């Protein structure tokens, strides 16, 4: 991943805003320009199980979001740390987090 090595400019805000609209509902750009979504669950254990599944995807991808876990909620915050901004890889990861969530509510 070239952006992960640094030396690449972050994605322009207008491009990021366009790509957010292509993701599942709930994603937004936060005040820091990072991708962010809160996923709701019935209890702490479900939120934690989801976070662990997202962590598995992160390890496989070598792309690590910040996960904020509370009772019934897991917030996923994504950006490319090396360039302090967003790349297309961040949006792919967001879509993968949505797949994990959708699979967890279908089962």
């Amino acid at each position: 991943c070239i952006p992960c090595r640094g030396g690449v400019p972050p994605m322009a805000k207008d491009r990021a805003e366009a790509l957010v609209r292509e993701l599942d509902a709930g994603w937004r750009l936060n005040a820091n320009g990072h991708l962010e979504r809160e996923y709701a669950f019935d209890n702490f254990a479900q939120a934690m199980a989801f976070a662990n599944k997202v962590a598995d995807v992160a390890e496989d991808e070598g792309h690590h979001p910040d996960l904020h876990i509370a009772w019934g909620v897991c917030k996923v915050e994504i950006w490319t740390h090396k360039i302090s901004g967003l790349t297309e890889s961040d949006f792919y990861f967001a879509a993968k987090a949505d797949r994990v969530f959708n699979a967890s509510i279908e089962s």
Side-chain angles (χ1 to χ4, degrees):
C1 173
I2 293 169
C4 298
R5 292 186 199 110
V8 175
M11 179 181 290
K13 186 176 180 182
D14 60 335
R15 176 72 175 140
E17 289 170 342
L19 289 175
V20 167
R21 291 190 291 275
E22 294 181 24
L23 295 171
D24 285 358
W27 286 102
R28 67 183 191 90
L29 296 177
N30 68 17
N32 294 318
H34 304 164
L35 273 174
E36 181 178 280
R37 179 176 175 186
E38 284 191 4
Y39 294 91
F41 298 92
D42 292 334
N43 56 50
F44 185 80
Q46 289 176 350
M48 196 69 194
F50 170 76
N52 285 323
K53 289 175 186 173
V54 171
D56 289 341
V57 173
E59 281 299 301
D60 290 344
E61 298 290 323
H63 196 85
H64 301 91
D66 284 6
L67 303 174
H68 309 270
I69 304 156
W71 193 96
V73 176
C74 180
K75 180 172 73 172
V76 178
E77 185 177 5
I78 307 168
W79 76 101
T80 300
H81 295 78
K82 195 76 166 179
I83 63 169
S84 296
L86 295 173
T87 67
E88 287 193 11
S89 295
D90 299 306
F91 291 87
Y92 289 123
F93 192 91
K96 290 177 182 187
D98 285 339
R99 271 191 237 132
V100 170
F101 177 72
N102 292 331
S104 72
I105 61 173
E106 291 172 0
S107 56

